[in-house]
Every structure is written in structure tokens, then in C-alpha cells.
Amino acid sequence: MEKTWRLIIDGAREPGANMALDEAIMQRMAEEPSDPTLRVYRWTCPCVSIGKFQQLDDIPFLKSGVPIVRRPTGGGSVYHDEPGITYSLVFGERSGVMPEGTAASYRHIHEGIAAAVREFGLEAELYVPASGPVKAFGSCFALPVRSDVVSRGKKIAGAAQRRRFGVVLHQGEVSLPLDVWRKWSYNNALNIFVDCLSRQLQAGFLEGQITDKEGRLAEELLMERMEEVTR
């Protein structure tokens, strides 16, 4: 049975504003149950997002001069630039729109991402790790983890999740090679991306907007982060 999701095709925002807005959508859903949301967005400048629990010593871009922003989700550092698609999914943990549990939902979402990557003409499969130690933090795209999307052995899509008050925030990045962007415009690639997720999630996406409350919450969260830095 198809479920209705809100689709937000957002423009470019400052790194801190993008992270605050994802968290604001999550917070609003915890306070006022609403339709699950897919938000696709861009960045005003190249930047690096780091995981909520990542130590600064783990960041390879620390001395590069590139802006660094902390995500509300975990994981390692991710470089965000033009040749990529950044997105977030926000949904109720027990809403029935997604398999329950981190591993199951992560795999389910990435099956749709892999389908989109194949539509772009690339090989894509979900990564199944061999036994051995798991690398912690560092650069997120340097080493895939279970159910990341890989193309010819190279990680091409990863994500991180946070669960709070019965709501899940899933933040993901699809890093596509330049050859893809020579064949596809951003808007065409975005349509393929959304269509493949729609089929995978059995979701009917209705395009919507950031609500006034979400905008206010995002401003408050952004101000809190700025105050934390300047204390």
C-alpha cells in the first residue's frame, strides 16, 4: 500500500542552516506527528560535515580551510561538493513506512539508492563486509560499511541515522563521478533519484515546503550552536 510522504526540493543553504533544518524537521515531527519527509538539498559552498560524536583529530580536512559543520547524526566526515546529491529522510520509528531497526531501514533505503545509481549507467550493489575490525570515524567515503552503496568496489553512497523521541533522521550523500554529470543535469538526476526512492519505499511523494514552525526551530537550533562555539 502506497504511503504519502512530503517531498522538499530545497535550494542551497549555508552548512549550519542545512543541519539545523534537518534537525528541526525531526523535532517538529516528534512534537506534532505528520507525514514522513524526504528533503533533497544543496550547499552554498563546498564543506565538510562531521559526525555528532566525531573527534576533531579524526577529520582529514581540518587544516584545509573548508568550512566544517557537525551533523546531528553519527558517522565520519563527508565532503560535500557539486557532484553529489545530499538528502534526508525523517519518519516515525514505528509508523510502518520503513522496516524497523537501524540496519534494516538503512539497507532498505540504500536498495533504492542503488537502483538510482544503476539508472545513471553505473554498476551498484550493497556492500557486504568481510570479517575483521571495523574502522571508526575518519573519512566516511574512505571505507564502506555494511549496506553502503558501492560501484566497482568504491563507495558511492553512505548515510547516518539518529533516533530520538520515536522519530528517525536519516542523512545521506550520493557521490557521483563527473562522467554522470556530463550526461545528466542535476534536475534530471534528481527526478531519477526521487522516482527510484518512491518505488523502493512504496511512497507517493507530494511536493511541499518547510513550515513556519520548522523554520523557527531551525533558527533557534542554529543560534544555540553558534552560542556553544562562542562560549
Side-chain angles (χ1 to χ4, degrees):
M1 178 176 155
E2 191 176 82
K3 306 165 186 71
T4 301
W5 285 63
R6 177 178 57 155
L7 171 64
I8 297 173
I9 304 298
D10 212 349
R13 297 179 187 264
E14 296 287 340
N18 269 330
M19 297 299 93
L21 194 48
D22 275 350
E23 192 170 0
I25 294 171
M26 180 187 195
Q27 185 173 324
R28 175 184 172 253
M29 191 175 293
E31 297 172 357
E32 303 172 0
S34 55
D35 287 339
T37 296
L38 165 63
R39 175 177 170 246
V40 186
Y41 52 94
R42 306 180 80 170
W43 309 83
T44 55
C45 61
C47 66
V48 174
S49 69
I50 64 174
K52 182 175 177 62
F53 306 105
Q54 190 174 5
Q55 300 299 314
L56 290 179
D57 291 343
D58 297 321
I59 303 169
F61 302 94
L62 187 59
K63 297 181 180 179
S64 67
V66 176
I68 294 174
V69 63
R70 191 174 291 279
R71 295 189 307 273
T73 53
S77 56
V78 179
Y79 182 69
H80 304 279
D81 201 355
E82 280 302 311
I85 297 174
T86 310
Y87 70 97
S88 63
L89 293 160
V90 186
F91 53 92
E93 195 166 7
R94 293 180 174 80
S95 61
V97 302
M98 196 77 64
E100 292 187 19
T102 302
S105 60
Y106 194 97
R107 181 174 61 252
H108 189 65
I109 293 165
H110 272 191
E111 285 172 348
I113 303 295
V117 172
R118 287 191 286 268
E119 288 282 338
F120 298 139
L122 303 176
E123 295 179 11
E125 61 184 357
L126 299 194
Y127 180 71
V128 179
S131 59
V134 177
K135 182 181 178 181
F137 301 129
S139 176
C140 188
F141 275 77
L143 187 69
V145 298
R146 183 178 296 277
S147 296
D148 279 343
V149 181
V150 295
S151 181
R152 295 188 174 182
K154 181 180 179 181
K155 180 173 177 176
I156 202 168
Q161 292 187 1
R162 182 182 181 186
R163 283 168 158 73
R164 191 180 184 197
F165 303 129
V167 178
V168 180
L169 168 60
H170 174 104
Q171 293 180 307
E173 176 82 7
V174 185
S175 180
L176 298 168
L178 291 176
D179 285 349
V180 170
W181 297 114
R182 294 189 183 104
K183 298 176 183 177
W184 304 91
S185 70
Y186 178 80
N187 286 339
N188 286 339
L190 197 57
N191 288 335
I192 290 171
F193 175 81
V194 172
D195 285 346
C196 287
L197 274 183
S198 176
R199 290 195 295 270
Q200 176 64 21
L201 303 180
Q202 298 181 7
F205 287 119
L206 296 179
E207 194 161 351
Q209 302 293 328
I210 301 297
T211 68
D212 290 341
K213 182 170 184 177
E214 288 166 342
R216 289 193 300 271
L217 285 171
E219 290 176 0
E220 292 171 4
L221 288 166
L222 188 56
M223 186 60 68
E224 287 176 9
R225 302 293 185 271
M226 292 173 62
E227 289 176 350
E228 288 173 1
V229 170
T230 55
R231 278 175 193 159

